[in-house]
Amino acid sequence: MACRWGLLAPLAAALAVEAAACYPAPAAALCQAGILALGLRGLAGGEAWESAYPPAPLGDRLDFAFLILVASILALACRSASSRLDRREADVERLDRSIAQLVDANMGFQRYAVAAGASSAERERKRISRDIYDTAVHSLVGIIMLAESATDRL
């Protein structure tokens, strides 16, 4: 850009970037088109504050248009990348919550497995002790009956 046009080009580029940051994509594109049109109109020459100014050369107008278009495209691309990043961050947070829930469920299942194992072992000990008791009682009853039958024969 030629220096004689002052801050028009950087200001217009900053406005185009700001439009992309503040408005939804269709509205931002419309604002950027308006900024481009107003800037090109300003470079076309005319009269302001009671003084005339000459039109900018075609090369300056094309440079200005290119600058605004590049700034607009970059701003929209940054906005798109930012929204994708936001979605990915939300996905990561959702996955972190899911992982935490899975860890909690796993810990609960482990506690249940330990309790079930202990309960199962207790039931097995009781079953074995009943079997031993039944066997011992049966043997003692058999011994008593043999002793009684032996005393009856004598």
Side-chain angles (χ1 to χ4, degrees), residues 9-64:
L11 180 61
L15 285 173
V17 170
E18 189 66 24
C22 294
Y23 299 111
L30 188 61
C31 288
Q32 291 162 344
I35 292 166
L36 177 61
L38 287 173
L40 289 175
R41 174 62 187 107
L43 292 175
E47 195 172 300
W49 295 289
E50 299 178 6
S51 63
Y53 58 94
L58 181 61
D60 286 354
R61 291 183 200 180
L62 292 175
D63 287 347
F64 176 80

Side-chain angles (χ1 to χ4, degrees), residues 85-105:
L85 180 63
D86 290 344
R87 284 193 305 270
R88 286 196 174 108
E89 286 175 350
D91 288 344
V92 167
E93 288 175 7
R94 193 183 79 246
L95 289 172
D96 284 344
R97 286 191 303 272
S98 297
I99 288 170
Q101 290 173 346
L102 287 172
V103 166
D104 289 343

Side-chain angles (χ1 to χ4, degrees), residues 74-131:
L74 288 176
L76 289 173
C78 288
R79 179 185 176 128
S80 174
S82 175
S83 66
R84 281 193 310 268
L85 180 63
D86 290 344
R87 284 193 305 270
R88 286 196 174 108
E89 286 175 350
D91 288 344
V92 167
E93 288 175 7
R94 193 183 79 246
L95 289 172
D96 284 344
R97 286 191 303 272
S98 297
I99 288 170
Q101 290 173 346
L102 287 172
V103 166
D104 289 343
N106 186 24
M107 295 301 291
F109 287 136
Q110 287 180 5
R111 286 189 296 273
Y112 174 76
V114 167
S119 174
S120 176
E122 181 66 25
R123 281 194 309 269
E124 185 65 15
R125 278 193 293 277
K126 286 180 181 179
R127 185 191 66 78
I128 291 171
S129 67
R130 279 193 305 269
D131 286 348

